[in-house]
Amino acid sequence: MVRVEPFEVEQWMDRLEVTPGVLNIAETCAAPVSIDELVGLCEDKNASGPLDLSKMMTYGAIRGSESLRQHVSRLLGEHSSAPLPAENVVATQGAILANLSLFYTLVGPGDHVICVYPTYQQLYAVPESLGAEVSLWKLKEENGWVPDIGELDGLVKANTKMIVINNPNNPTGAAIPTAIVQAVVDVAKERGIIVFADEVYSPLFHSLPDGTEAPPSILSMSYEKTVATGSMSKAFALAGIRLGWIASRDKSIIQAVSSARDYTTISVSQLDDQVASYALSDAVRPSLLRRNMNLAKTNLALLDAFVQKYSSTCSWAKPTAGTTAFVQFRKQGRPINDGEFVLDVLDKTKVLFLPGTPCFGHGKDFNGYVRIGYACHTEILEEGLLRLGGYIEQHMM
C-alpha cells in the first residue's frame, strides 16, 4: 500500500478557509475571474464566446482538444527556436494531477529524485511515497531562495532519475534565472537525467530586476528529457475549471503518461477544455495576463510597504514572481512559533495565511515563516494587512 504523508498545506487550507468572516490572504491564485469577466477581456469583439452549447457532451478529445493543446504548445515554446508540437501536450485536471501522473508514471523504487526545498509538498512527498529516495536541494534566503548550482553535483547519484524545480517558486516567490535553469539542464543532460519543472505560476515574472529577462519554459532549453506542468489556476485566475497540462519534448514520456492516465481520468471535461482554450487564445490571453501582472505588482507594493513598516518584527527576500511571499516573523528578536501565530491571528482578526514549518518544511527548517498569497483582490489584501498590523502593534511590539 502506498503511504503518503498528510498534505499539510492543503489540510490547513481545508480546515481554516471556511472560518466565518475569514479574510483569506492564504490563497495563491491570481484573483479569480468569472466567465463574464473573461469575455469582457476579449480584444476581438466579433469572437464567439467560450462555450459551444450545441456540442455533444462525449468524452471529447482524450488528450485534450487540438485547440487547447496548440495554445499550450505556443505558450511553452514561445522563446524556443524549435516549436513544441501540440501532440507533445496532454491535458489534465489541474497541475496537481499533472504532477501526480508524472511521478506515478516515471518514478519508483530504486530511483533517486532531487527536489528544490522549500516547495509545494507534493513535489517531494509523492516520489518518496512511490518508493524513490529523495534528496532535498535546500534553498537559502540569503541567496534570494535561488538554487545554488554549485551544490547540485554533490546531490546527484548514479541512480538519479529526476531533478525537480519549481519556477516561480512556491512559497518564496523567487524566480530561477535563465542561466541557473540552463546550468541545471546541462548537469542533467550530461547524465541523462529527466528535468521536471513545475511552472504553474509562470508566466507571472512581474518584479524582476531591471534588465532581467523572464526565464523561458524548461522546454526551451534544447534538451529532450525535460518536462513542464502548468495550469489555468494561478497565473490565469481560473482555478474553478480544473484544467492543467503535462508537456515534454520527449514523446516517449508523453506516451507513457498518456497510457497511465487511462487508468485515472480518461479525459478532461469538455466545458473546462473550451474555457481554457478561449482564455489562452490570442484574443484573450494578453489582456488576462496584463490584468494579473498588474494585480500582482500593485499588491506586492502593498505587502512590501507592510514589511518595511514592521521591519522590527518581520523580514523577507522580496518575491520577484508568482503570487506568494515567504515572510519571517519575530518577537523579541526570536522567530515566533508560526503554527500558533497563524491560529492566533485568525482567531483575533479573521485574517488567514499559512505557517511555514508544518506546510513547507520539516522540524524547524522554516521556523517563524508564513506564506502570504498577495494576488487576491486588492481590497482584501489591504484590509488583511491593516488588521495584521493592528495585531502586531498590540501583541508583538
Side-chain angles (χ1 to χ4, degrees):
M1 177 179 176
V2 173
R3 298 191 180 276
V4 185
E5 292 297 316
F7 201 161
E8 292 290 353
V9 66
E10 300 299 339
Q11 294 283 321
W12 277 75
M13 285 287 285
D14 289 349
R15 287 197 306 269
L16 302 180
E17 66 183 351
V18 295
T19 302
V22 68
L23 266 174
N24 190 345
I25 58 172
E27 183 54 73
T28 62
C29 303
V33 294
S34 67
I35 299 299
D36 282 344
E37 288 175 297
L38 194 64
V39 171
L41 289 168
C42 182
E43 296 173 353
D44 180 0
K45 299 311 175 185
N46 295 317
S48 57
L51 293 176
D52 178 0
L53 300 181
S54 68
K55 194 168 187 178
M56 294 296 180
M57 289 293 103
T58 65
Y59 283 108
I62 299 302
R63 296 190 184 187
S65 69
E66 183 66 19
S67 173
L68 173 65
R69 295 165 78 197
Q70 285 182 355
H71 288 321
V72 173
S73 68
R74 283 197 290 269
L75 180 72
L76 298 179
E78 188 174 11
H79 300 286
S80 176
S81 58
L84 177 69
E87 58 263 29
N88 286 45
V89 177
V90 177
T92 63
Q93 277 86 349
I96 194 165
L97 188 58
N99 297 344
L100 180 65
S101 299
L102 191 70
F103 289 129
Y104 174 76
T105 305
L106 300 180
V107 171
D111 292 330
H112 175 241
V113 173
I114 298 168
C115 183
V116 295
Y117 172 85
T119 192
Y120 196 48
Q121 183 183 342
Q122 183 196 33
L123 298 181
Y124 53 86
V126 170
E128 193 169 56
S129 75
L130 295 170
E133 178 191 1
V134 177
S135 295
L136 300 176
W137 190 1
K138 296 185 177 181
L139 311 178
K140 304 175 184 65
E141 183 174 358
E142 56 267 31
N143 290 346
W145 302 111
V146 172
D148 182 348
I149 196 65
E151 297 175 351
L152 185 55
D153 271 332
L155 294 171
V156 172
K157 300 183 178 183
N159 62 333
T160 301
K161 181 75 172 289
M162 183 182 290
I163 299 170
V164 182
I165 62 175
N166 178 204
N167 199 20
N169 179 268
N170 172 20
T172 68
I176 306 177
T178 302
I180 300 296
V181 178
Q182 184 64 65
V184 173
V185 169
D186 291 343
V187 170
K189 190 173 184 178
E190 186 179 333
R191 299 164 174 82
I193 299 169
I194 296 167
V195 183
F196 162 38
D198 179 329
E199 298 177 348
V200 73
Y201 291 93
S202 179
L204 289 186
F205 297 98
H206 49 73
S207 301
L208 298 172
D210 290 343
T212 303
E213 291 187 0
S217 171
I218 193 74
L219 302 182
S220 69
M221 294 294 174
S222 301
Y223 177 44
E224 190 173 74
K225 295 177 74 171
T226 51
V227 189
T229 59
S231 86
M232 301 302 297
S233 298
K234 311 299 184 181
F236 295 98
L238 286 165
I241 66 171
R242 308 309 303 132
L243 198 292
W245 53 80
I246 302 170
S248 178
R249 295 280 179 186
D250 189 330
K251 289 185 177 180
S252 68
I253 290 177
I254 293 299
Q255 182 56 47
V257 168
S258 298
S259 295
R261 182 171 164 277
D262 289 341
Y263 284 98
T264 56
T265 58
I266 303 178
S267 65
V268 299
S269 158
Q270 281 204 53
L271 300 178
D272 294 348
D273 189 307
Q274 288 182 51
V275 175
S277 297
Y278 181 82
L280 292 176
S281 68
D282 291 342
V284 180
R285 186 190 68 258
S287 54
L288 177 59
L289 284 176
R290 276 197 302 273
R291 177 250 191 201
N292 295 342
M293 292 279 272
N294 290 336
L295 181 66
K297 287 180 181 179
T298 297
N299 289 7
L300 183 59
L302 294 174
L303 188 52
D304 187 28
F306 175 89
V307 172
Q308 291 185 46
K309 180 177 180 179
Y310 296 104
S311 59
S312 63
T313 303
C314 59
S315 60
W316 67 351
K318 185 179 176 181
T320 58
T323 66
T324 62
F326 214 34
V327 184
Q328 187 180 49
F329 284 83
R330 301 175 302 278
K331 185 175 183 179
Q332 298 176 341
R334 295 182 178 180
I336 49 89
N337 180 308
D338 44 283
E340 294 177 0
F341 175 63
V342 164
L343 295 176
D344 198 48
V345 170
L346 180 62
D347 178 62
K348 291 182 168 63
T349 71
K350 300 299 183 184
V351 176
L352 173 63
F353 41 82
L354 294 181
T357 302
C359 292
F360 298 99
H362 302 294
K364 296 183 178 181
D365 284 347
F366 305 114
N367 200 21
Y369 284 90
V370 304
R371 187 190 73 179
I372 296 174
Y374 58 83
C376 51
H377 290 291
T378 301
E379 59 270 21
I380 293 176
L381 182 65
E382 287 177 322
E383 179 63 23
L385 294 179
L386 181 66
R387 295 187 193 183
L388 180 57
Y391 176 97
I392 290 172
E393 292 167 11
Q394 183 174 356
H395 300 285
M396 300 178 69
M397 297 177 74

